[in-house]
Amino acid sequence: MTDLPARRLLLVHAHPDDESINNGATMAKYVAEGAAVTLVTCTLGERGEVIPPELAHLSGTALGEYRREELASAMRELGVTDVRLLGYGDSGMMGLPDNDEPGVFWQADVEEAAGALADVIVEVRPQVVVTYDDNGGYGHPDHIQSHRVAMRAVELAAGRGHEVAKVYWNRIPRSVAEEGFARLAEELPELPFPKSAAVEDLPGVVDDARITTAVDGTAYAAAKAAAMRAHATQITVAGPYFALSNDLAQPLFTTEYYELARGVGGAGERGESDLFAGIEDGIEEAS
């Protein structure tokens, strides 16, 4: 087997654009530092709401294919070359009839989907996996299912000979969210958004004490913003702020935060600054 880079990171996301919003700076940072970064996207977001009027005709399969191209463009901005698609349909927002359609991710057999993801894990052998918490960050069925599938896939991969050292969940510390919205309130009159979102609208906001890891991606702010702009059907970016289809402004964070959900951290007094903290370089080198 060909030798793999010493550090290997795999991220599991529900739809194209989730990865850039949550982890764009992290991904760009680790790519630039020579780590292997693999993105697994579970659906193509076929039920997403389209922002640009000139693209409003896109829906269903056509939108999914368009978003696949947006994802490819975003990953070029971040330098990520290994992108895998699980191939499930977008389930729509929680409680809609879409959730019950055959082929959507919410209806997927978790063992089957986790088995497919475990195949990828065993192939690329990440030491670190990043996904959502058990509520998917904000209760979207595809995000919840991504959590279930990712956590089960880690267990299945261990049974097949590859032990993931650390699993992280995407987070935002409440104090950081509140500070971000305070800045936004001052700058909102100059932004192309009519109103601001609220702290409660952000996925993964938790009390600061739950945060174990802060990855400073300031040097990769431009790459993250460019990746988010590549998802033009879903995101409008204006400086250090952005909005989704609801046109409500929210901060664009370039330090990205995580909660260690599985494994042993390398935290010091102020917590980790590296997802690989506590993992010796070269662990599980392929041979």
Side-chain angles (χ1 to χ4, degrees), residues 32-201:
E33 293 177 356
V37 176
T38 298
L39 171 67
V40 178
T41 303
C42 299
T43 86
L44 288 176
E46 299 91 341
R47 289 185 163 94
E49 297 180 356
V50 177
I51 295 173
E54 66 272 18
L55 297 176
H57 62 283
L58 293 172
S59 64
T61 300
L63 177 57
E65 289 305 310
Y66 196 92
R67 293 188 70 179
R68 183 203 296 262
E69 294 304 314
E70 289 184 331
L71 178 61
S73 297
M75 293 305 94
R76 284 193 290 270
E77 297 291 349
L78 301 179
V80 175
T81 58
D82 188 12
V83 179
R84 315 293 181 100
L85 303 174
L86 276 195
Y88 291 95
D90 186 343
S91 307
M93 298 300 289
M94 184 66 84
L96 296 179
D98 300 337
N99 304 163
D100 300 320
E101 291 291 324
V104 302
F105 195 35
W106 188 237
Q107 294 298 320
D109 181 274
V110 170
E111 286 295 305
E112 179 181 299
L117 178 56
D119 289 342
V120 179
I121 291 175
V122 171
E123 176 191 344
V124 303
R125 301 174 69 180
Q127 295 111 331
V128 177
V129 167
V130 170
T131 190
Y132 315 105
D133 66 11
D134 57 359
N135 190 45
Y138 71 112
H140 192 293
D142 289 333
H143 288 241
I144 294 170
Q145 193 77 316
S146 295
H147 162 85
R148 293 172 178 170
V149 168
M151 299 304 288
R152 180 59 178 146
V154 168
E155 294 174 350
L156 292 175
R160 299 182 193 176
H162 177 71
E163 186 78 36
V164 172
K166 304 171 81 173
V167 177
Y168 288 96
W169 295 342
N170 292 301
R171 292 300 193 195
I172 303 173
R174 186 168 301 278
S175 67
V176 170
E178 291 172 348
E179 290 166 6
F181 276 105
R183 292 192 301 272
L184 171 58
E186 295 177 357
E187 299 185 36
L188 188 60
E190 306 302 321
L191 297 174
F193 308 118
K195 294 177 64 178
S196 170
V199 170
E200 292 72 23
D201 297 322

Side-chain angles (χ1 to χ4, degrees), residues 2 11 25-26 43 75 82 85-86 108 114 120 141 157 161 193 196 198 204 224 239 248 255 260 262 271-272 282 285:
T2 304
L11 306 97
T26 298
T43 86
M75 293 305 94
D82 188 12
L85 303 174
L86 276 195
V120 179
F193 308 118
S196 170
K224 175 170 180 169
L248 299 178
T255 294
L260 180 63
R262 173 173 172 153
E272 298 177 336
E285 279 287 346

